[in-house]
Amino acid sequence: MKEAAMKEANMKKATVINQYSTHLIFVNREMAPNLGPILDERLVVKTVLIVYTENFVDQANRLASIYQAHNINPKLCLTEPAFELNEIVVNLQDLVKNTPRNQLAINLSCASQLYALGAFKAFENTEAGLYYLLPNDQFKWIQPAGLPEFNIAENIELGEFLHAHGIEHCHPVRLTASQANFANNLVNAIEKIILQQFALNTYQHFSTRFARGKSIKLIKHKEHYYLNDINNTHSRLKADLLVGFLRKLHNQNVLHLKTENNETYPLPENDSWKRTFFEGGWLEYFTYRTVLELKAEIEKIKEVAFGVKLQRENAYDEADVLFIANNQLFVVECKTGNNVNINLHLQRLDSLRNRLGGATAHSLLVTTELIGANLPKAKLLNVGVIDGHQLTHLKRYLREWILHEIDQKPDTETDSNAHHIHESKH
């Protein structure tokens, strides 16, 4: 362990690039590419010139406040939009006239194609550094040649990331000790009994009625149990399994069963939070808990939160599970069968992802239902899906999705801009 830690420390030391104390960035709606490099301690940034136009005032101010919180000096540089390459070149050179070129680096990650070319023309063959960030967080130098390229450190916190994207307040759920004990016992029973025996329909029929205070009776007849009525259609559900499941929960004080005259039934639950958890909250917590387990196995996963209430001005929203990996936001929505309109939730999740994390964010729908005919829509929106068939192996499918998203190939305007710059350079 000591050898691995020393090796990592030596690699970090080897990539320290401290000659560029001033960085210039271009502001647009994407925030993450202007955060990761600046906050990476290996680049030793002291001052940031924040170049923005009038329509990006809010984004520029949010970036400035985050830099200040990290003891980096921001300088806001309001500029008028320019559409002639020569005008852009002159404007950029004027902005940095008091900054020695050998102390200046320009981040092209959020520059438009025209401004990226303008920056290259303004500073090519000078001692200034030019760089951009790929979507997989790989740091690339355009000039000078020979500087080390590396993956940006995972240094953005969840609250900070959301603040950068305009969220003024975020409040994740914090369970009390008794709530956590209740949640873990229920989820463990669902995972080991209901999911392993493919009895989700049975559980959902029970949980919907239980959560809404409706009658639930398990009637014993000829050594088998039937739900509510031995002649009822729902008697075909796995009532014997359900009795075993409920008895386990009774023994753990998760709910209370009563048996009389060959009838077993749960007593009503007065706690509204627990009722909600039985019906759908369990899936949200199950997913959250599984991501936490993966956090110990996938180094790039940092903060994980669930049941996050979000506020932007007077608009309110909520996200089931949020986490940061590779300095990018991962948004997971969890929907149980009794409240799933998959097509609607795919659209909402696509919108939520873009609002909270921009183009580099990732989204996943975890549902007890089957994705079926909605799979093409999910692929079109680039929303991952783990459906009812896969919940038995939730951890495996979550790991595969997260690693795929982290390792995805670059495919953005930034990469296109860099290609044009390299073409013009040669």
Side-chain angles (χ1 to χ4, degrees):
M1 291 292 291
K2 286 185 178 179
E3 289 182 6
M6 287 179 62
K7 184 177 179 182
E8 183 180 349
N10 289 334
M11 286 180 64
K12 186 174 180 180
K13 186 176 179 181
T15 54
V16 168
I17 301 169
N18 60 6
Q19 65 258 46
Y20 302 118
S21 58
T22 299
H23 284 229
L24 183 148
I25 67 164
F26 298 92
V27 179
N28 70 9
R29 286 183 175 81
E30 292 304 312
M31 305 296 279
N34 280 328
L35 287 173
I38 304 300
L39 302 185
D40 195 313
E41 294 178 354
R42 290 170 292 185
L43 291 175
V44 199
V45 182
K46 295 180 179 177
T47 300
V48 184
L49 305 177
I50 303 172
V51 179
Y52 68 102
T53 52
E54 193 69 45
N55 54 326
F56 292 121
V57 172
D58 290 342
Q59 287 88 344
N61 286 330
R62 292 199 295 268
L63 284 169
S65 69
I66 292 172
Y67 296 150
Q68 282 181 320
H70 287 263
N71 298 314
I72 297 169
N73 179 34
K75 292 187 177 179
L76 293 166
C77 304
L78 178 63
T79 185
E80 292 292 327
F83 304 99
E84 295 290 337
L85 191 59
N86 289 338
E87 183 182 354
I88 292 171
V89 169
V90 171
N91 288 346
L92 290 176
Q93 289 174 337
D94 186 56
L95 276 175
V96 298
K97 62 185 177 184
N98 296 321
T99 304
R101 296 294 186 267
N102 63 353
Q103 297 175 21
L104 174 67
I106 296 99
N107 182 353
L108 301 178
S109 302
C110 293
S112 67
Q113 183 174 316
L114 190 58
Y115 268 83
L117 287 171
F120 177 73
K121 293 296 183 185
F123 303 107
E124 67 176 325
N125 300 322
T126 71
E127 294 181 272
L130 294 170
Y131 68 88
Y132 63 99
L133 195 66
L134 291 174
N136 61 5
D137 252 19
Q138 188 177 3
F139 186 95
K140 288 278 190 182
W141 288 102
I142 296 173
Q143 77 173 37
L147 285 180
E149 296 179 352
F150 49 87
N151 272 22
I152 291 298
E154 286 79 39
N155 48 25
I156 302 177
E157 297 178 354
L158 179 59
E160 197 168 58
F161 187 100
L162 294 172
H163 171 66
H165 289 82
I167 299 300
E168 296 170 355
H169 302 285
C170 62
H171 302 286
V173 166
R174 308 284 187 197
L175 297 183
T176 65
S178 62
Q179 286 176 328
N181 183 62
F182 168 90
N184 283 311
N185 285 336
L186 177 55
V187 167
N188 287 342
I190 292 173
E191 183 179 11
K192 294 173 183 176
I193 298 175
I194 300 299
L195 295 181
Q196 291 297 326
Q197 297 299 320
F198 305 100
L200 265 175
N201 286 340
T202 303
Y203 175 77
Q204 288 180 177
H205 178 72
F206 152 75
S207 64
T208 300
R209 297 184 67 86
F210 184 64
R212 299 175 188 181
K214 295 183 178 179
S215 170
I216 299 167
K217 286 190 290 188
L218 292 144
I219 304 169
K220 192 173 183 180
H221 178 71
K222 294 183 179 180
E223 302 305 315
H224 288 285
Y225 282 91
Y226 298 83
L227 191 58
N228 284 11
D229 183 347
I230 61 173
N231 298 311
N232 189 288
T233 303
H234 290 301
S235 299
R236 302 190 188 114
L237 294 171
K238 299 178 180 180
D240 290 335
L241 179 74
L242 184 58
V243 169
F245 171 76
L246 294 178
R247 283 177 176 164
K248 182 179 181 67
L249 297 183
H250 173 81
N251 292 337
Q252 295 175 331
N253 204 34
V254 173
L255 54 68
H256 301 285
L257 288 179
K258 190 169 183 179
T259 300
E260 56 186 13
N261 300 325
N262 284 329
E263 292 183 359
T264 298
Y265 54 92
L267 298 178
E269 175 57 65
N270 295 322
D271 187 325
S272 61
W273 177 82
K274 289 183 179 180
R275 291 200 306 272
T276 301
F277 199 93
F278 268 104
E279 187 171 17
W282 69 268
L283 183 60
E284 181 180 328
Y285 184 76
F286 182 32
T287 303
Y288 163 71
R289 196 176 72 172
T290 306
V291 176
L292 274 183
E293 291 175 14
L294 289 170
K295 181 176 180 288
E297 302 171 17
I298 301 174
E299 185 182 0
K300 287 184 176 293
I301 298 177
K302 297 305 174 187
E303 284 185 86
V304 188
F306 84 106
V308 186
K309 297 188 184 305
L310 307 159
Q311 181 182 349
R312 186 200 310 264
E313 295 180 348
N314 292 321
Y316 296 86
D317 217 323
E318 187 170 350
D320 290 341
V321 180
L322 294 177
F323 62 96
I324 293 287
N326 227 33
N327 288 330
Q328 297 165 3
L329 186 68
F330 287 67
V331 184
V332 185
E333 286 288 284
C334 306
K335 300 299 175 186
T336 54
N338 296 304
N339 60 357
V340 168
N341 177 329
I342 289 182
N343 182 60
L344 179 65
H345 287 303
L346 287 173
Q347 292 176 328
R348 178 188 178 275
L349 188 48
D350 176 56
S351 175
L352 183 65
R353 171 189 62 197
N354 291 330
R355 291 199 308 274
L356 297 183
T360 62
H362 313 267
S363 57
L364 174 72
L365 177 65
V366 178
T367 175
T368 55
E369 294 300 280
L370 303 183
I371 183 65
N374 289 291
L375 184 58
K377 178 70 171 285
K379 289 182 176 179
L380 179 66
L381 296 176
N382 196 25
V383 174
V385 176
I386 296 175
D387 70 4
H389 274 326
Q390 300 166 309
L391 279 181
T392 306
H393 303 290
L394 177 63
K395 186 174 181 180
R396 184 182 109 201
Y397 287 108
L398 265 175
R399 179 191 285 108
E400 289 176 359
W401 177 72
I402 292 168
L403 290 176
H404 175 267
E405 296 298 297
I406 287 175
D407 295 335
Q408 68 178 346
K409 299 297 182 184
D411 183 23
T412 67
E413 184 183 357
T414 298
D415 198 34
S416 175
N417 290 347
H419 173 75
H420 285 295
I421 291 171
H422 280 293
E423 289 294 308
S424 66
K425 188 173 181 179
H426 297 294

